[in-house]
Amino acid sequence: MTRYDLVIRGGLVFDGAGSPPRIADVAITGGTVAAVGRWLPEGARTIDATGKWVIPGMLDVHTHYDAEVLGSPGLGESIRHGVTTVVFGNCSLSTVYAEAEDCADMFARVEALPWDAVHAAVKEHRDWTDPKSYAASLAARPLGANVAALLGHSDIRVAVMGLARAVDERVAPTTAELKAMRRMLTDALDAGFLGLSTIRSSFSKLEGTRYPTRRLPSTYASWREYAALNAILRRRGRVHQSTPNLTSRAELVRYFAQSAGRGRSPLKTTLIAAADVKADRTTARAAVGAAWLANRLGGARFRWQHLPVPFEVYADGVDLVVFEEFGSGVAALNIRDVMRRGELLADETYRRRFRKDLAKRFGPRVWHRDLHDAQIVACPETALVGKSFGQVADERGIHPADALLDLTVAHGTALRWRTVIANDRDDVLDRLQRSEQVQVGFADSGAHLRNMAFYNFGVRLLERVHQRGFMPIERAVHRLTGELADWYGLDAGYVRAGARADIAVIDPAGFDGSSAAYAEAPMPGIEVRRMVNRNDRAVAATLVAGQVLFEYGEFADGFGSTLHAGTFLPAR
């Protein structure tokens, strides 16, 4: 009689294709699903999944784990939430070609990561010279989750042009330099990379001492340069991921046009983000409608990435990316020295600019800038905790902007506050998650360590569907698994005979609302307490390649050190 390595017994099995679920056993041998059916023989180990959901491991397609994976390859904060495959290299940022100092300058400010941590990770662990050896280096590490990668445009632009020329708006790459970038991209695709990531956002700035007020290199590229690289992606059927420039929404037409497929192969294009933004309630409907037109009439293969939970952010003082949206906010973030920044924030001339910027009601933006909708959660003046800056201002007879600046000058990063900037209306969230023009993503896992935590976005989506019933559960599972795997071309996302045994066992009894609660935890290898999600009752087990890595809050022995489960997944 056949004896399997492991049998997951009696769960409600979702195949990842959107088919209705069925009670079945899942048998695993050699890291692969050997059979799905009733009354299968025992395995060397059995997991009782009675009353639980057995689903394919979820995909997180928008992460910035590029540095973390080098020193902490388990990626436990994703594994603990049933995510078994992550994609990094988003937003033009990767660590394939650029040197350590350049990588740190590019990642640190825009992704709110410690400069020293990024620099050390790349410098100490670098044992690759090109995309092929980079993929091999990752595959050789004791990975928890499987990893897949995009090649960052800023990465290759700096490697070819040097940082100084790559962030000079007067300089365009020479013919030889553009040819070199095309060769780098081709080599990456040959090595199994999913595609290319770019960025146009004017809010994305460098860190470091060399060019701290310049934008990321990819933002200085012309559309001619993008077109030269996109031609390779189109020919190979690979993905272009990007972040548009919100101050020039007309540029979105260019993305739609480059994705269009009438008379040629469409280019897979995915942008961040479809969101119900508080600052502009027309954004979500307009974004989805424009994508529908591009796909239906233009033959495009365009998708917005969408975070399926309220977009709640936290800030220490004024350290938050949304301050990059306006001039006075940028001026403050450009000053990294605490004392000098405090002097600026105390200056009345500066404050007049700041108040004027907050009062603007027109023009593209993400943050609503309503300081009555910004709650203080930590402050040495403990009586203020729980109040908004607007309330504090009303009590003190001052402008809300002055309340924020006064408290930041007085307490620096000891002042911590929160607000929700998007996705606060359930009915709109429901519509977005049903839309074929969006894909579930944009968790930014591994970045913005003190600002936001959406590592468990998939579990939270399943909980919302379970409680609200706005789509069939099998459809939600498909959106988190097979749909993403197929779109990105990955060997993942399904529970069926012959598939990789990357599986999450979900316990719906754990859907108690705690998944959205605030929590912090030490970050491995870095002296930072990062924001996390902790809902360990909802994830009964996470398996990668048939190995049980996590069960109800506990990781397997050797996780992230000696236990090697995940691998580098190439594009199909």
Side-chain angles (χ1 to χ4, degrees):
M1 182 170 59
T2 301
R3 185 168 175 82
Y4 301 110
D5 294 341
L6 185 147
V7 173
I8 303 173
R9 179 80 68 194
L12 185 63
V13 178
F14 295 81
D15 63 6
S19 306
R22 57 178 175 136
I23 300 293
D25 306 329
V26 178
I28 297 167
T29 294
T32 299
V33 176
V36 180
R38 296 303 305 271
W39 318 119
L40 296 179
E42 286 298 318
R45 178 179 176 185
T46 298
I47 294 177
D48 181 7
T50 303
K52 302 177 180 65
W53 303 347
V54 180
I55 72 171
M58 291 179 277
L59 283 75
D60 187 347
V61 299
H62 193 115
T63 82
H64 292 284
Y65 278 133
D66 307 71
E68 183 174 341
V69 73
L70 301 177
S72 302
L75 303 180
E77 208 53 49
S78 286
I79 288 291
R80 78 185 305 137
H81 301 300
V83 172
T84 58
T85 297
V86 303
V87 177
F88 44 69
N90 285 280
C91 299
S92 88
L93 301 172
S94 60
T95 63
V96 180
Y97 285 106
E99 297 299 323
E101 185 176 12
D102 293 333
C103 289
D105 281 1
M106 290 189 290
F107 273 89
R109 179 165 170 175
V110 65
E111 301 303 340
L113 294 167
W115 189 97
D116 291 342
V118 177
H119 183 266
V122 177
K123 188 176 182 64
E124 294 173 14
H125 296 281
R126 187 181 211 110
D127 58 359
W128 61 88
T129 57
D130 57 18
K132 184 177 179 180
S133 56
Y134 174 80
S137 174
L138 292 179
R141 297 172 189 275
L143 296 171
N146 302 307
V147 300
L150 297 159
L151 182 65
H153 184 212
S154 288
D155 183 5
I156 60 175
R157 209 168 197 267
V158 167
V160 169
M161 301 175 65
L163 184 59
R165 294 179 67 246
V167 296
D168 188 335
E169 61 187 5
R170 300 166 299 179
V171 176
T174 65
T175 300
E177 287 169 338
L178 185 55
K179 183 177 180 180
M181 283 189 267
R182 284 169 56 88
R183 184 178 64 252
M184 288 174 165
L185 176 57
T186 299
D187 289 347
L189 301 185
D190 288 345
F193 280 55
L194 306 183
L196 178 76
S197 70
T198 66
I199 195 167
R200 299 288 297 171
S201 171
S202 61
F203 310 147
S204 303
K205 303 293 178 62
L206 296 175
E207 184 61 281
T209 59
R210 295 177 294 172
Y211 308 101
T213 62
R214 303 281 182 88
R215 304 186 309 272
L216 291 182
S218 182
T219 66
Y220 293 90
S222 66
W223 283 95
R224 174 180 172 273
E225 183 176 330
Y226 289 137
L229 298 170
N230 284 337
I232 299 172
L233 298 175
R234 187 188 305 279
R235 186 167 63 248
R236 300 284 292 270
R238 302 292 175 86
V239 174
H240 180 181
Q241 184 276 329
S242 191
T243 305
N245 183 359
L246 294 180
T247 65
S248 180
R249 291 188 179 179
E251 280 196 351
L252 289 175
V253 176
R254 290 185 178 269
Y255 285 106
F256 295 141
Q258 75 180 1
S259 183
R262 297 301 184 192
R264 61 179 181 176
S265 298
L267 174 65
K268 287 184 180 180
T269 304
T270 180
L271 302 186
I272 59 173
D276 178 26
V277 179
K278 280 186 176 181
D280 183 354
R281 292 301 195 183
T282 68
T283 298
R285 186 180 297 275
V288 170
W292 184 90
L293 288 172
N295 291 326
R296 181 62 63 88
L297 302 183
R301 295 194 68 185
F302 181 93
R303 296 292 185 275
W304 290 105
Q305 293 183 355
H306 165 67
L307 180 69
V309 299
F311 204 113
E312 181 180 52
V313 296
Y314 284 72
D316 297 319
V318 294
D319 282 321
L320 185 62
V321 69
V322 295
F323 283 93
E324 303 273 17
E325 288 188 330
F326 50 93
S328 57
V330 172
L333 295 180
N334 281 345
I335 300 176
R336 312 311 286 173
D337 179 77
V338 174
M339 295 295 293
R340 288 184 55 228
R341 181 185 286 179
E343 292 172 0
L344 175 70
L345 300 187
D347 180 76
E348 180 55 34
T349 300
Y350 171 82
R351 289 189 172 210
R352 283 197 294 271
R353 288 179 57 205
F354 191 83
R355 289 192 292 265
K356 184 177 180 181
D357 283 339
L358 286 192
K360 290 179 180 177
R361 290 291 176 261
F362 302 102
R365 55 183 177 156
V366 174
W367 181 29
H368 50 73
R369 304 180 198 174
D370 179 2
L371 293 179
H372 284 84
D373 186 8
Q375 182 186 43
I376 299 168
V377 297
C379 181
E381 297 179 55
T382 56
L384 302 183
V385 174
K387 296 181 179 180
S388 72
F389 292 112
Q391 287 177 283
V392 173
D394 292 343
E395 292 171 1
R396 297 182 178 183
I398 58 177
H399 192 281
D402 289 307
L404 168 62
L405 296 177
D406 285 347
L407 292 174
T408 301
V409 170
H411 306 299
T413 57
L415 170 69
R416 190 155 173 79
W417 55 278
R418 60 168 290 278
T419 190
V420 175
I421 61 176
N423 297 345
D424 56 310
R425 299 185 296 179
D426 279 331
D427 58 333
V428 180
L429 263 184
D430 294 349
R431 290 199 300 272
L432 284 171
Q433 283 148 39
R434 290 192 299 262
S435 172
E436 295 181 355
Q437 316 310 319
V438 307
Q439 59 184 207
V440 179
F442 191 41
D444 258 352
S445 302
H448 303 286
L449 305 180
R450 297 287 299 161
N451 301 135
M452 54 195 184
F454 304 118
Y455 298 92
N456 69 345
F457 69 95
V459 172
R460 291 175 67 180
L461 173 57
L462 294 176
E463 183 172 6
R464 287 190 73 249
V465 172
H466 181 60
Q467 293 174 344
R468 292 179 57 80
F470 59 88
M471 73 167 78
I473 294 171
E474 57 265 30
R475 169 66 174 147
V477 171
H478 174 63
R479 302 227 70 184
L480 292 163
T481 59
E483 178 180 297
L484 294 170
D486 290 346
W487 203 85
Y488 285 88
L490 289 168
D491 181 17
Y494 292 94
V495 175
R496 59 192 179 195
R500 291 179 52 84
D502 303 330
I503 293 172
V505 181
I506 304 297
D507 188 350
F511 291 159
D512 57 8
S514 64
S515 61
Y518 182 91
E520 294 183 2
M523 184 170 176
I526 303 178
E527 293 184 5
V528 172
R529 289 187 63 82
R530 67 172 164 186
M531 288 178 57
V532 297
N533 304 122
R534 291 293 161 87
N535 53 331
D536 291 338
R537 292 185 62 244
V539 179
T542 305
L543 294 77
V544 174
Q547 299 187 62
V548 181
L549 302 184
F550 178 82
E551 290 183 279
Y552 283 124
E554 299 293 332
F555 288 98
D557 292 341
F559 176 81
S561 57
T562 59
L563 183 56
H564 193 143
T567 190
F568 180 89
L569 288 185
R572 289 196 296 260

